[in-house]
Amino acid sequence: MRSIYPALATRLSGLLTHLGVGPYAFDDTVGLVSPLLRVHRLQARVVERVAETASACTLVLQAGSAFPGVLPGQHMAVTVEIDGVRHRRSYSPRPVDGRRDRLAITVQRQPGGRVSGWLTERTRVGDVLELGLPGGDFVLPDPAPPALLMVAGGSGITPGYAMLQWLREHAPRTQVTLIYFARSRGDRIFAGELERLSDAWRALRYAPIDSLANVGPADRGGRVLDRALLDTCEPRWMSLPAWCCGPAPLMDTARRIWAEAGAADRLHTESFGARPAVGDAARRHHVSLLQPHGLADRFEATQATSLLEAAEAAGHAPKHGCRQGICHECTCRLESGSVVDLTTGQRLDGEGQSIRLCVSAAMSDVTLAAAP
Ligand SMILES: Cc1cc2nc3c(=O)[nH]c(=O)nc-3n(C[C@H](O)[C@H](O)[C@H](O)COP(=O)(O)OP(=O)(O)OC[C@H]3O[C@@H](n4cnc5c(N)ncnc54)[C@H](O)[C@@H]3O)c2cc1C
């Protein structure tokens, strides 16, 4: 049963705000008793740590009663403070023990990665993390379809694993084919669990694929996602709904294959990282970022870096959140010039368009207006 605490706390906090006290005053006060009592900035305590591979671990989190619960496949922001600086990234949680307030995230350490390194190496049982509200449309329909396909690469298994656990419990007759790319069995997150699940659940067809770099390339010995592999693993793939999650190159390949097959509308994708800016590093463009208070941040950007990174490299600190194009906190208005959207490869050059600094690179001199 859901506790009445969140509703009471939200009303009390609203009353305090009405009386002119800041919206976080309530949270700050109850946070002195327990951070899990906060209702605006949701927090969760790490209650268990499980090593999954040499570079990935699962953190089981106990959230407060204000946490709304997660649907399998959703993502949420996790904020950590590292050396006094707050960093926010998205992770794909799964419910634990069927409880609304208990969840697990599985984090793959990325080389040089700030937050993944912190969560996999420095975070301990008892630590408290700040959570955003779960969201996103990479979720299963209700009711679940009779058959579906999942394609995952590396840590992109996390939303798929949450969906598999849900299907096993609530729709065990759904026929599921899972194609999962990882460098080797040792790098494959949930390798043992997935093998046990496919042994015990006849409706699951599990195809683990060893690839040197998640999606190949084939000439380095890795197997790639292609039509031949799909035909072998699930001959009906073109007619089934498919969920594909992993690094940007795997998503690009999947989108191309499904589009060429005329089945793009059946493919759901979620990318775990924006495509890096790969434009000409020698072409420098002037960027003016007009701030609401009237002044402008002026800096140079090449086509080989995001506008956010270029601004930061020049000593500016534009408003931003997840750095992945998810939270939209760095959204600005394009006043003049052209940018490329690194998530889609699309060039944008119309005045008045919304662009996200973290996933856009300049293609010409650009003027932008920051949101108030
Ligand atoms: C919707 C969504 C859900 C996600 N769910 C999960 C999840 O459940 N588990 C999980 O481990 N990660 C997940 N991620 C990725 C996660 O948000 C971070 O991007 C990742 O942990 C790296 O953050 P960082 O701070 O360590 O790296 P940063 O310090 O931001 O980057 C360091 C370096 O790592 C590279 N890099 C960053 N992310 C990736 C990546 N995903 N693949 C390859 N290289 C990368 C960067 O290009 C950079 O060179 C998800 C991302 C999104 C958008």
Side-chain angles (χ1 to χ4, degrees):
M1 194 183 68
R2 190 162 184 176
S3 141
I4 58 165
Y5 170 75
L8 277 178
T10 308
R11 286 191 73 168
L12 190 52
S13 154
L15 188 64
L16 287 174
T17 309
H18 188 68
L19 293 172
V21 186
Y24 294 115
F26 179 85
D27 268 13
D28 290 344
T29 309
V30 295
L32 296 173
V33 180
S34 165
L36 272 53
L37 290 173
R38 293 192 164 118
V39 291
H40 294 295
R41 281 194 169 155
L42 298 177
Q43 300 200 301
R45 194 181 305 282
V46 179
V47 291
E48 194 182 345
R49 245 185 86 93
V50 182
E52 300 287 355
T53 66
S55 57
C57 81
T58 291
L59 301 174
V60 180
L61 307 175
Q62 177 63 51
S65 60
F67 188 73
V70 296
L71 292 177
Q74 285 186 317
H75 57 78
M76 67 181 184
V78 174
T79 302
V80 294
E81 192 174 306
I82 305 173
D83 299 332
V85 180
R86 284 162 56 83
H87 298 275
R88 183 157 66 160
R89 299 288 185 274
S90 299
Y91 292 95
S92 310
R94 55 187 185 281
V96 172
D97 299 335
R99 286 172 54 177
R100 189 178 40 78
D101 60 352
R102 193 162 277 217
L103 58 152
I105 56 171
T106 298
V107 183
Q108 168 77 52
R109 177 165 36 82
Q110 301 296 338
R114 269 168 292 190
V115 176
S116 61
W118 183 265
L119 291 172
T120 51
E121 283 163 14
R122 307 281 294 277
T123 304
R124 299 279 168 260
V125 168
D127 288 353
V128 171
L129 307 176
E130 185 178 322
L131 308 182
L133 289 175
D137 51 13
F138 192 74
V139 291
L140 292 168
D142 186 13
L148 60 90
L149 173 65
M150 287 182 191
V151 180
S155 54
I157 189 63
T158 49
Y161 187 61
M163 291 178 188
L164 282 177
Q165 287 187 320
W166 188 89
L167 287 165
R168 173 76 171 120
E169 196 178 334
H170 300 281
R173 290 225 275 257
T174 298
Q175 291 175 17
V176 184
T177 300
L178 168 65
I179 303 175
Y180 180 12
F181 293 91
R183 288 182 174 81
S184 67
R185 187 184 182 284
D187 295 301
R188 191 165 288 116
I189 299 171
F190 312 131
E193 287 91 329
L194 289 170
E195 286 158 8
R196 283 190 286 281
L197 195 59
S198 70
D199 285 346
W201 183 17
R202 294 184 55 182
L204 173 63
R205 198 179 315 166
Y206 172 43
I209 307 287
D210 289 352
S211 71
L212 286 184
N214 289 342
V215 287
D219 60 2
R220 286 170 53 200
R223 277 193 77 182
V224 293
L225 178 68
D226 57 20
R227 287 181 74 135
L229 181 69
L230 288 165
D231 289 340
T232 308
C233 296
E234 174 46 274
R236 301 171 295 170
W237 66 270
M238 270 184 248
S239 59
L240 296 184
W243 280 263
C244 180
C245 181
L250 176 63
M251 300 301 101
D252 290 346
T253 307
R255 282 192 206 104
R256 180 180 47 74
I257 294 173
W258 263 262
E260 284 170 5
D265 58 336
R266 282 188 272 286
L267 177 68
H268 309 261
T269 57
E270 181 148 277
S271 179
F272 269 16
R275 202 182 285 107
V278 289
D280 187 349
R283 299 206 41 199
R284 308 186 76 80
H285 304 297
H286 297 286
V287 181
S288 297
L289 176 55
L290 310 173
Q291 295 295 346
H293 47 64
L295 298 175
D297 294 343
R298 295 185 204 286
F299 55 96
E300 287 196 338
T302 72
Q303 296 177 1
T305 180
S306 74
L307 285 164
L308 177 61
E309 287 167 336
E312 289 177 337
H316 302 296
K319 187 172 163 225
H320 68 277
C322 67
R323 309 180 79 88
Q324 296 167 323
I326 299 276
C327 74
H328 294 258
E329 287 208 9
C330 62
T331 297
C332 294
R333 180 186 144 97
L334 187 59
E335 299 288 321
S336 67
S338 301
V339 303
V340 62
D341 182 322
L342 299 168
T343 60
T344 60
Q346 193 188 0
R347 189 175 169 131
L348 302 169
D349 49 15
E351 184 193 337
Q353 307 221 42
S354 288
I355 69 128
R356 292 159 296 171
L357 294 177
C358 67
V359 289
S360 301
M363 301 295 283
S364 70
D365 290 350
V366 173
T367 302
L368 301 162

